[in-house]
Structure formats: structure tokens, C-alpha cells
Amino acid sequence: APMDECRSVGDKLRAAGITLSGSGVTALPNDEAKVRQIFEKVRAAGMATLVCKPEPAVLPLVEKFVKEFDQKIAIHNHGPEDKVYPSPASVWAAIQPFDQRIGLCLDVGHAMRAGADPAAAVRQYASRLYDLHLKDSLAVSGAMDDIPVEIGTGRIDIRGILRALIDVKYSGVVAFEYEKAGGNPVTGIAESVGYVRGMLAGFPA
């Protein structure tokens, strides 16, 4: 989107009392001018966290802009089909030499397919966990393709993830993702939100 559109949308959201928490997974190329433009648009929109996928070679350049713009970014893990960031552990390893504002966006479904335990990942990477994509899936560990379903009807340990988020006092965003094809997605996301709310209500105070 053009810069003025980013600023306009950000202004409208702020006026409505809405915080723009993050973005879709934005590719950060090995091009200083393009990366600067992305950071400028993120600032214009007032975005809290840039959810992104920089190639490892681009991380020193990204760090430069993270410092200049005082901007948190969260690198998104995909699954075993992704040769760069298949798991949260691969993101964690890549960001170690860099500024603390460079962190993780933990996608629990992709993490599970990559063989990770999402609840354990929340605990292990809590210090730099800045965003979380919550979903459920029927896919098994090692699967190249996701099989998205309503939260509570798949294989992912949702209770364990929520418990871990509470235990580490996670203060970032939990974004619901519902990518099942067909029909009205509002129904599936409403079921997912209802399931999570019910589970949270059942936790001891």
C-alpha cells in the first residue's frame, strides 16, 4: 500500500480506539531501500510489531532499521516445507546475535508440523516471543501440508499452550488463524474463540 494510505488507515484505527497490533508475514528482501520503505510504512501505520520473514543474510540490515525505528519485529516460523525457518528453534538460533527487538512470531500449527511442542516453545522462547498465531490442525508432525480445523477439534495441545502463555506472563498478541476452506469463516473463528474463552474460564484463578 502507498505511504499515505498506511498513514490514513493508522489514523482511522487510532481515532476508533483500535490498536494495530501487527501485519501479515512480510518478506524483507536484501535491498536496503525496500526494507527502509517497509519500516517507514509500519511506522506510518502505527503498527506495534512487524511480523515478517527476512532471509538470514538480511538480518544485519534489519537490525539497523530495528534500532533506527525502535521497532519490534517477529519472525514467523513455517513448517518443514520452509528451508529457512521451519521451526521456532530455527528462528531462535538465527536471531541470537541480534538486537532484542528482533523476536519470534510462533505459529503453533506450523511448529507442530515441524516436530516442535508449541507449549514448550512458548516457555523456552518467552523472552523474545512477540506474537503468536493460534490455530488447530489435523496434520501430524512432519506433514508438508496443514489441515486446518476449528480450535479444539485438532491435534494441537491448546490447553498446554494457554497454560504456558499464562505461566510466562505473555503480554503480546495472540492472533487467531482459521484457514479452513469453504463456507463462512466467521462461524469457524467464532467457535474457536468460544472454545478458548471457555478453556481459559476453566483455569484456576
Side-chain angles (χ1 to χ4, degrees):
M3 185 70 70
D4 56 351
E5 188 178 334
C6 292
R7 190 169 289 108
S8 172
V9 168
D11 288 344
K12 286 174 183 173
L13 290 172
R14 280 187 289 275
I18 298 170
T19 300
L20 183 58
S21 60
S23 59
V25 181
T26 303
L28 297 180
N30 198 359
D31 182 318
E32 185 161 355
K34 286 181 180 175
V35 173
R36 174 175 289 281
Q37 187 176 57
I38 289 166
F39 273 81
E40 286 175 346
K41 288 179 177 181
V42 166
R43 181 168 63 185
M47 198 181 296
T49 304
L50 170 62
V51 178
C52 58
K53 183 184 176 182
E55 294 293 321
V58 186
L59 283 170
L61 175 62
V62 170
E63 181 180 50
K64 171 185 168 181
F65 289 116
V66 161
K67 290 177 176 178
E68 179 181 336
F69 287 77
D70 188 21
Q71 176 67 54
K72 273 188 178 179
I73 73 164
I75 299 176
H76 181 273
N77 67 275
H78 282 91
E81 71 280 10
D82 183 346
K83 301 307 178 206
V84 183
Y85 303 116
S87 67
S90 57
V91 177
W92 182 256
I95 67 175
Q96 285 316 292
F98 300 103
D99 190 278
Q100 290 288 315
R101 285 163 287 198
I102 299 176
L104 286 81
C105 170
L106 172 60
D107 185 302
V108 302
H110 295 323
M112 183 267 293
R113 289 191 300 109
D117 174 347
V122 167
R123 297 179 190 278
Q124 189 170 356
Y125 308 129
S127 63
R128 289 170 80 167
L129 180 60
Y130 300 146
D131 202 297
L132 185 134
H133 289 176
L134 190 66
K135 62 178 67 166
D136 211 341
S137 176
L138 291 172
V140 297
S141 177
M144 290 292 173
D145 295 313
D146 196 12
I147 308 172
V149 290
E150 295 79 5
I151 290 178
T153 63
R155 299 177 181 273
I156 296 177
D157 178 15
I158 302 299
R159 175 180 288 277
I161 292 166
L162 296 175
R163 183 77 261 169
L165 289 169
I166 292 167
D167 288 349
V168 303
K169 297 180 171 59
Y170 177 69
S171 61
V173 169
V174 173
F176 282 82
E177 285 195 340
Y178 179 67
E179 297 159 325
K180 187 175 174 181
N184 183 355
V186 173
T187 304
I189 196 73
E191 289 177 18
S192 297
V193 171
Y195 179 88
V196 169
R197 282 182 172 162
M199 184 165 278
L200 288 171
F203 281 149

